Amino acid sequence: MTINVSRRGFLAGSVAGTTALLVGVNAKGVLTAGSTAAAATTDLNPFVKIDGNGTVTVIIKHFEMGQGTTTGLATLVAEELDANWDKVQTDFAPADDKRYANLFFGGQGTGGSTSIANSYMQYREAGAAARDLLVRAAAQSWGVDASSISIEDGMLKSGGNSGHFGEFVAIATTLEAVEKPAIKTPDQFKLIGSDKLHRKDNTSKTDGTAIFAMDVNLPGMIYAAIIRSPKFGGTVVSFDDADAKEVGGFIAAQVLPNKAGVVAFGKNTWSAFQARDALSVEWDFSAAETRSTDALIADHKSLLDAPQYNLGKEITAQTVAPVLDGAADTIDAEFSFPFLAHAPLESLNCTIEPTENGVRLHDGCQFPSLTRPTLAAILGLEPSQVEIKTLYAGGSFGRRASPTADYNAEAAMAFAVSGRKVPVKLVWSREDDIKGGYYRPMAAHRAKVGLDADGKVIGWDHRVAVKSIMKGSPMEPMTVHDGIDHTSAEGVAGGLYSIPNQAIGLSDFQTEVPILWWRSVGHTHTAFAMESLMDMVATQTGQDPIDMRLSMLDPAAPNPARMIEAIKLVREISGWKKGDKRGFACHYSFNTCVAVVADITVEDSSVHVNKLFMAVECGVAINPDVIRAQMEGGAGYALSAIYRNEITLTDGEVDQYNFPDYELLRNSEMPEVEVAIVPSNNAPTGVGEPGVPPTGPAVANAIFAQTGKRIMDLPMSKAGFDFM
């Protein structure tokens, strides 16, 4: 079942025949309130809706892909409201860039582990404003002083008077919200920081009532599947659908307007896939990528000889060279990282249907601010004519947020060539995603570290070659300065450590292979290189890896005190001792500090990670259980990638096709993970991505500790190891 909700319908939706209190901010960012009766003409951005039954609905401006945003944002509102958690529900916000903008991005979207961080005060203040309105409404109703009223579990009380939220909604909607309501101090928290809250999406995802994009089934809907160029950058010359016409349920086939593929329409998913596979297409590969993996790696490494950009300002490879030449000892290392697929378990899909005013998109939509104008441009509409019904997404890891809104754009083109009369559902197969999706970019690093006679670092020449993710994307103004995409070297530049004479060179690799932010973006490769190099320095100088890092933390780096706390905590819970044959790594990403100790067993060439100890400093822990889940999930995602995952090409065509040759982590391979959260009252920071970067190097450093073999080319299976 799918419920179609327009913005007007969304604002008016509550229990039939009742008035609902709406609390949010207006276009000027000022808290305000109103009722559903006036919502159609009131300039509101409601985060809190309370109906006549006392049910609190928290409006979620960030979509849910399993990372816990619905629970986190609901917790913030419920905490300030003193609501009954069991009577709090959630609904996704409609598409509206101005009213539901991510405060860090300036547009509506979810990503970069920003959901809780950018919404922390916004949602708390909305909850506090709603509480204030209800208190004043109750005071007016009972004829008592507002200061005499208390709230507990959604019930207001004063003397012998008591009542639930819904009883005071009608009066509350006539009152004016305060601009800056009083919010709780940390010692007053009852829900924030609680381990006892069940996730708001647990029940529906368990009993099957949760609606994902793949579940959408509209009357008269047809299905679309696309055959795309086997080489990236290829375009359609012509096609023959004679064999497709023999497929039962086949409707028609059309070249997409951008000539990037041919869409086959069917009466169901199976017929669309079968018809698509039966098409014979002639391709133009004149502008396509035709290199194989070995050549791509070699071409990356050739760029390391003469970096295109210098990130160290006055410190360059030329100025560091004499320092390194005069060093008592040097460490040389070269790393290579493959393309990686995002591989979310719900394959890409979305549905477009015609409406009286334009179209409606049903999607687990990660970036409405990108999708809405893209669809409008393709279909010749105004963005206001594009509605977006956001549903649950079965994972993303960055894939649903491509700068081109690629699969949404494909659906719009398919809808356009279908005649625009009936809903069109586009579905990607797993093979479509593995062979023709967007990828974590291939990267190469080369570093030379100079040590003095006392074993201290005196110079560091670090070079990176990787295709820019941000150039040409809407994020370019935020991340690209002086021609440098700073996400390409984040974690090397602006890292944790005080490194004298550090030169950082960067080159942008060019390829038609489409690349995209992948879970933790540039940190996916920079953390592995940096933490491996730090371990090499500790080994070369006979220092304890943890003690050495603590001594090298840069006082001017972001939040060194927080990283110190994370490192000390992981050392404590792991029982780390100098000389342990275990691995350690730490990394700062998305404003969060994570430290990891890896405990492994190696038998011949078989490696088993027995346990990971993880300590995280992410500010105030809104939902500790969600934080632990994200650290555990990040660790598992990282292990999948480092063990054996890679996307390789032969003459420009991807070799892998599905999970049999792009394997996910098996249950038997997942280690026990013990997560400790550093107690903090700092503002919350990201947790969805920071667990990924330090996991890989911690395991690699543990393998070295036990075998003496340093892994510098991923995946680890290239070094002859298998995993159990």
Side-chain angles (χ1 to χ4, degrees), residues 90 338 482 551:
T90 64
D482 298 323
S551 71

Side-chain angles (χ1 to χ4, degrees), residues 75 79 190-197 621-625 628:
T75 300
E79 177 66 78
K190 297 176 182 178
L191 300 180
I192 291 176
S194 172
D195 271 325
K196 297 179 181 179
L197 297 185
I622 309 300
N623 304 116
D625 193 53
R628 284 190 285 268

